[in-house]
Amino acid sequence: RGALAPSDFATDFVPAARIWRGEPPGVDTEAGNAEAVMLGVPGYTAFGTPYRAHPPPSVMLVALLVPAGWSAALGIWIALSLLAIGVLAWVSAKVLAPERPMRAAVALFVAIALWPPTLHNLEKGQWSLLIAGLLALAFHVGRRGRSGVAGALVAVAGSFKIVPFVLLAAFVS
């Protein structure tokens, strides 16, 4: 149920909408809550959480969704999150069960999707699932000898949050 009103996605959506209006993305909690209501964000009030999105690339990704409106943007966000779980499940299945990757991928998809940390990410609209999918894809292409593409995928993941940059060192050598 929480995935239909994800608080973290709301605090990214409002700054992204401000960019479309030509305004600075950051806004205090009170003004952000008022803008959220104007944008159709359901029943969420940030207490002490400023409406400042993650690093600029994340603002720009969410900004691409703003013209669709809150409901459609949220649907796209959930679909991207589920796709990321699928990528993570597929890559993991190819490593753990190379003789039957499809069966393993389905089982892993269900297990990952029902795992409490994943449910929390879906409920809040967090970036972790997209980052995990990008890192899994980086691992997959890296194993195929395409370290440049793998490094680029890690860099893209790192542009949304800084933690994946720690993994970039693995592709430098």
Side-chain angles (χ1 to χ4, degrees), residues 138-139 141-142 146-158 164-165 167-168 171-172:
F139 174 79
V141 298
R146 301 184 66 196
S147 60
V149 174
L153 288 166
V154 172
V156 169
F165 273 119
L167 297 175
L168 194 55
F171 298 103
V172 172

Side-chain angles (χ1 to χ4, degrees), residues 26-77:
V27 64
D28 65 40
T29 304
E30 187 176 329
N33 287 339
E35 286 188 41
V37 169
M38 257 185 9
L39 293 166
V41 177
Y44 168 70
T45 302
F47 294 104
T49 303
Y51 283 82
R52 290 177 183 81
H54 296 90
S58 60
V59 178
M60 299 315 296
L61 178 63
V62 177
L64 294 173
L65 305 177
V66 168
W70 168 259
S71 295
L74 179 57
I76 293 166
W77 186 259

Side-chain angles (χ1 to χ4, degrees), residues 35-120:
E35 286 188 41
V37 169
M38 257 185 9
L39 293 166
V41 177
Y44 168 70
T45 302
F47 294 104
T49 303
Y51 283 82
R52 290 177 183 81
H54 296 90
S58 60
V59 178
M60 299 315 296
L61 178 63
V62 177
L64 294 173
L65 305 177
V66 168
W70 168 259
S71 295
L74 179 57
I76 293 166
W77 186 259
I78 291 170
L80 286 172
S81 297
L82 293 173
L83 176 64
I85 293 169
V87 169
L88 182 59
W90 176 253
V91 170
S92 298
K94 290 188 67 95
V95 171
L96 298 173
E99 68 286 344
R100 293 189 126 168
M102 185 54 80
R103 178 177 283 183
V106 169
L108 283 167
F109 180 89
V110 170
I112 294 167
L114 295 177
W115 190 38
T118 302
L119 292 173
H120 178 79

